[in-house]
Amino acid sequence: MTNPRRQLCWRSVFVTFAVCTGTMASGEEDRTVEEKETNNKKRTKGAIATAWLTFYNIAMTAGWLVLAVVMVRYYLQKGTHKGLYKNIARTLKFSQTFALLEVGHCAIGIVRTSVIVTGVQVCSRIFMVWFITNSIRQIQNEESVILFVVVWTITEITRYSFYTFNLLNHLPYFIKWARYNMFIVMYPLGVIGELLTIHAALPYVRRSGMYSLRLPNKYNVSFDYYYFLIIVMLSYIPLFPQLYFHMLRQRRRVLHGEIVVEKDE
Amino acid sequence: MDTLALEATQPKKAQNGAPVPGTSTPAKRKPAKKIKKAVVFFEVEILDAKTKDKLCFLDKYCDSFLVFHVFVSDPQWYPARQSIRLDPKGKSLKDEDVLQYLPVGTTATFYFRDLGAQISWVTVFLTEYAGPLLIYLMFYFRVPFIYASKYDFTTSKHWVVHLACMCHSFHYVKRLLETLFVHRFSHGTMPLRNIFKNCTYYWGFAAWMAYYINHPLYTPPIYGEQQIRLALIVFLFCQIGNFSIHIALRNLRPPGSKTRKIPYPTKNPFTWIFLLVSCPNYTYELGSWLGFTLMTQCLPVAAFTLVGFIQMTVWAKGKHRSYLKEFRDYPTLRSPILPFIL
């Protein structure tokens, strides 16, 4: 992915041309020609992947910027957050659901992150958007909803512009600084917003019995959304510190060049 | 680990000539008038795999030694948790490996890695199988605090629930007895952490399944007696099959040995599936649980079957791959777990 590969790729282009014009003959050279052809294919694939990722990250930055602008304009016009959710609902759902593609990126290998980590993060966001705020109307005007939406917007704009600039090889220091410092405050605030929202939703869930399956039924299984939400809230306790300290370690490594020895399990 | 004492697992043979004092150059001696094996002396050093610290150094080691274990004064570092290997990131050497036949020349460097606390396979198996047996029975007898108190110690009015309890209990009793009397294990131990992971899996799923099957509001299978009878036949067939395979695999290996051979069909018709499958014990296990799912018509049982199937497929593929690697003449018709499919 660095210089030696680029050098090799130029040679591979030449070699491919030479092969096409029939100047290569011997068997041993054919073998290296094959290698270089594969490298050429890899290079083309790498270029397409980079182009797609750049487009994707720019699109996501734009999406979340639109969301930010709508929220600011609404607040300036109306002076209150009541009724704001209805305005941003569609953009929020669209932007957050689109993020599922990121799991795909990790799965096919064009982004070097663990599929599971990305999957968990994206799923928790999708869960909040579709299964809490979208389905439970009564909590849509809560302050906690605005809190986590604002936090997500700031975080996502920073993150996607960081990726975009990285791909274009022109990363301004302030974006890098923002990406690796703002989470320190944003992350806990976001968690508070999410937890308060789920907590506010609990009485409505209990009363309506939504998404629940009671016995007796022919599948001989039951599911209680109310208790499920309680378990989800409890799961923040082990999961949040792990993610938070992971980001802190990354921050130390990137910003201060510290080599942190990871436990190898 | 500051003090190390090295001790070989085999008794030392007497040296054939005067030892060379002070130097560590290996000396090769040709056999004299009597037919004696050439004695090659080795230099051996053991390094820590992570830190590359020199843990131990030996000179003038005789070739007939097997790979040893580093005995430490602290009994915490028992042999089962020591991994001695030729490469820090490579595979561990076995107890049976002979120093002379390893690709080390006469100056051998070994890397030591601590495998962490170990626990024997037999212990893990017994614990993880005894749990579901007892837990299911607790739900079956409707021990207090599980269901509403008016149902305490009552019995279900559906006969399929009694049948399911018998099948489930029979399955786990069979597993316990096989662990004690049938299986011959390749490895003695596994990491201690595994027992918590495995027991959570088995005990958790057993509780989840048993809760619904023995629930007062349980709904029996839609197709009634036909469905239950078919399910029972499938279940029993696969239980016998699974047992036959375990016996066949046991008979491949003489007692106390760790030899590996290709399993072939025997006179027992249940083993004829070896023609098509590398790991028929997993195939029959899947069949048993499918039978049980059909019998109880319970979604948690289906979920347990699915998760088990995924895990067993991973194991079967690994085993199939290692068979192919180890034996040139391995039958090509065989699939890892499902004939022709997987």
Side-chain angles (χ1 to χ4, degrees):
Chain A
M1 290 296 178
T2 56
N3 288 326
R5 214 160 155 262
R6 269 197 218 123
Q7 282 173 7
L8 186 67
C9 292
W10 277 117
R11 265 190 288 162
S12 75
V13 172
F14 169 74
V15 165
T16 318
F17 177 72
V19 166
C20 293
T21 56
T23 50
M24 292 288 184
S26 83
E28 202 182 335
E29 277 171 324
D30 280 344
R31 211 177 353 107
T32 26
V33 160
E34 248 180 61
E35 266 175 31
K36 291 180 180 167
E37 268 184 13
T38 333
N39 277 331
N40 198 36
K41 279 193 205 131
K42 279 192 199 157
R43 182 176 169 257
T44 326
K45 257 194 234 160
I48 297 177
T50 314
W52 162 252
L53 284 174
T54 315
F55 165 74
Y56 172 80
N57 285 308
I58 293 178
M60 294 301 272
T61 316
W64 287 94
L65 270 170
V66 163
L67 198 65
V69 163
V70 168
M71 284 202 290
V72 168
R73 263 184 37 188
Y74 186 92
Y75 191 76
L76 289 177
Q77 277 179 353
K78 301 280 175 69
T80 172
H81 63 271
K82 305 260 185 252
L84 170 62
Y85 183 79
K86 278 214 171 54
N87 275 26
I88 60 167
R90 208 156 24 115
T91 320
L92 176 67
K93 282 189 272 192
F94 189 78
S95 299
Q96 193 57 76
T97 314
F98 216 66
L100 276 171
L101 284 177
E102 280 170 56
V103 186
H105 295 161
C106 297
I108 61 179
I110 56 181
V111 172
R112 288 185 187 278
T113 321
S114 152
V115 177
I116 302 179
V117 171
T118 317
V120 166
Q121 285 175 338
V122 172
C123 279
S124 76
R125 290 288 188 87
I126 303 263
F127 173 75
M128 276 308 298
V129 168
W130 287 98
F131 292 101
I132 306 281
T133 29
N134 185 52
S135 344
I136 308 170
R137 295 262 163 101
Q138 299 90 332
I139 50 125
Q140 285 172 359
N141 284 318
E142 292 279 325
E143 288 80 5
S144 51
V145 173
I146 303 299
L147 174 60
F148 77 75
V149 173
V150 165
V151 164
W152 287 7
T153 313
I154 299 174
T155 314
E156 300 300 74
I157 294 175
T158 321
R159 187 163 74 94
Y160 286 118
S161 46
F162 173 82
Y163 291 149
T164 313
F165 285 117
N166 232 359
L167 284 163
L168 299 172
N169 286 318
H170 274 109
L171 184 65
Y173 185 73
F174 85 92
I175 300 255
K176 188 174 174 186
W177 184 92
R179 155 108 168 118
Y180 284 106
N181 279 303
M182 295 189 47
F183 80 90
I184 299 179
V185 167
M186 292 288 128
Y187 218 7
L189 280 181
V191 165
I192 292 173
E194 291 170 31
L195 284 176
L196 282 176
T197 311
I198 301 178
H199 185 260
L202 285 178
Y204 301 108
V205 168
R206 181 154 229 186
R207 218 178 308 142
S208 68
M210 65 188 301
Y211 296 150
S212 299
L213 184 62
R214 298 241 177 276
L215 287 176
N217 62 72
K218 63 180 173 178
Y219 304 109
N220 287 309
V221 69
S222 65
F223 180 74
D224 195 333
Y225 195 47
Y226 178 78
Y227 289 112
F228 176 73
L229 286 180
I230 292 183
I231 294 174
V232 165
M233 287 175 70
L234 288 174
S235 71
Y236 274 76
I237 300 176
L239 291 177
F240 166 69
Q242 283 186 26
L243 290 169
Y244 195 58
F245 287 120
H246 171 72
M247 283 299 290
L248 280 174
R249 261 178 279 144
Q250 268 202 322
R251 173 179 177 272
R252 265 186 295 173
R253 190 167 41 93
V254 170
L255 290 184
H256 301 304
E258 267 186 46
I259 301 169
V260 183
V261 177
E262 298 272 348
K263 262 202 294 193
D264 53 338
E265 289 284 19
Chain B
M1 299 214 289
D2 18 49
T3 47
L4 295 174
L6 196 76
E7 202 174 318
T9 52
Q10 292 279 306
K12 287 192 186 153
K13 282 211 179 122
Q15 296 182 7
N16 279 9
V20 182
T23 58
S24 50
T25 47
K28 195 172 175 115
R29 293 186 143 267
K30 289 251 163 64
K33 289 159 203 162
K34 293 189 194 153
I35 299 168
K36 276 197 183 129
K37 281 204 319 212
V39 178
V40 180
F41 291 101
F42 289 91
E43 250 180 32
V44 171
E45 61 171 0
I46 306 180
L47 309 176
D48 183 292
K50 277 192 220 164
T51 63
K52 308 289 190 298
D53 289 340
K54 196 180 283 198
L55 300 175
C56 187
F57 182 81
L58 295 166
D59 55 356
K60 298 203 294 286
Y61 229 61
C62 232
D63 68 338
S64 53
F65 286 122
L66 303 184
V67 174
F68 35 71
H69 282 294
V70 178
F71 279 69
V72 194
S73 53
D74 186 353
Q76 189 195 9
W77 307 100
Y78 44 86
R81 79 186 272 180
Q82 298 177 23
S83 162
I84 308 276
R85 40 183 83 168
L86 288 172
D87 176 70
K89 296 206 172 78
K91 278 193 78 179
S92 193
L93 294 172
K94 300 197 187 65
D95 284 354
E96 304 83 53
D97 286 334
V98 178
L99 195 56
Q100 189 185 17
Y101 300 129
L102 294 173
V104 287
T106 46
T107 314
T109 305
F110 293 106
Y111 294 91
F112 168 88
R113 199 184 182 91
D114 176 25
L115 294 172
Q118 299 281 300
I119 185 167
S120 85
W121 274 60
V122 174
T123 314
V124 174
F125 272 32
L126 291 178
T127 327
E128 68 190 16
Y129 297 154
L133 184 63
L134 297 169
I135 290 173
Y136 193 101
L137 289 172
M138 275 173 37
F139 283 87
Y140 175 75
F141 289 116
R142 295 195 181 148
V143 153
F145 300 110
I146 301 178
Y147 305 111
S149 52
K150 65 177 175 177
Y151 296 113
D152 287 349
F153 296 117
T154 54
T155 48
S156 176
K157 59 180 185 235
H158 306 289
W159 67 276
V160 66
V161 172
H162 308 298
L163 182 64
C165 181
M166 288 192 274
C167 290
H168 188 271
S169 308
F170 170 75
H171 179 79
Y172 280 102
V173 166
K174 168 179 156 295
R175 282 211 202 184
L176 285 165
L177 293 175
E178 281 173 345
T179 307
L180 290 170
F181 301 114
V182 176
H183 292 313
R184 293 218 168 100
F185 295 98
S186 300
H187 305 285
T189 64
M190 62 167 87
L192 184 64
R193 197 180 323 125
N194 279 13
I195 194 174
F196 301 108
K197 207 170 31 123
N198 290 9
C199 284
T200 310
Y201 170 77
Y202 276 104
W203 297 12
F205 260 115
W208 194 36
M209 291 194 290
Y211 176 78
Y212 289 108
I213 300 173
N214 300 295
H215 201 282
L217 297 176
Y218 171 76
T219 312
I222 318 178
Y223 295 107
E225 206 157 312
Q226 279 181 323
Q227 183 171 338
I228 300 169
R229 207 177 299 137
L230 173 67
L232 182 63
I233 294 171
V234 168
F235 179 81
L236 287 176
F237 183 89
C238 292
Q239 288 290 288
I240 301 172
N242 182 265
F243 180 69
S244 313
I245 302 298
H246 286 156
I247 294 288
L249 289 172
R250 170 199 167 85
N251 290 338
L252 282 183
R253 185 177 269 185
S257 82
K258 292 184 183 174
T259 51
R260 299 158 64 83
K261 303 211 291 250
I262 304 178
Y264 283 107
T266 65
K267 292 206 190 77
N268 185 343
F270 286 99
T271 62
W272 295 352
I273 194 176
F274 269 121
L275 292 167
L276 299 174
V277 169
S278 288
C279 300
N281 48 323
Y282 296 142
T283 318
Y284 281 124
E285 184 71 19
L286 172 67
S288 307
W289 285 108
L290 283 174
F292 193 68
T293 312
L294 195 65
M295 192 192 298
T296 55
Q297 199 174 290
C298 180
L299 201 65
V301 181
F304 180 65
T305 309
L306 180 66
V307 176
F309 173 57
I310 294 172
Q311 176 65 85
M312 289 193 289
T313 306
V314 170
W315 289 336
K317 287 196 160 184
K319 187 104 197 129
H320 185 76
R321 219 177 301 132
S322 69
Y323 274 146
L324 288 171
K325 224 194 284 181
E326 195 170 339
F327 303 110
R328 302 256 139 176
D329 53 341
Y330 195 74
T332 46
L333 190 60
R334 296 190 190 183
S335 314
I337 186 171
L338 294 179
F340 308 117
I341 310 174
L342 250 168

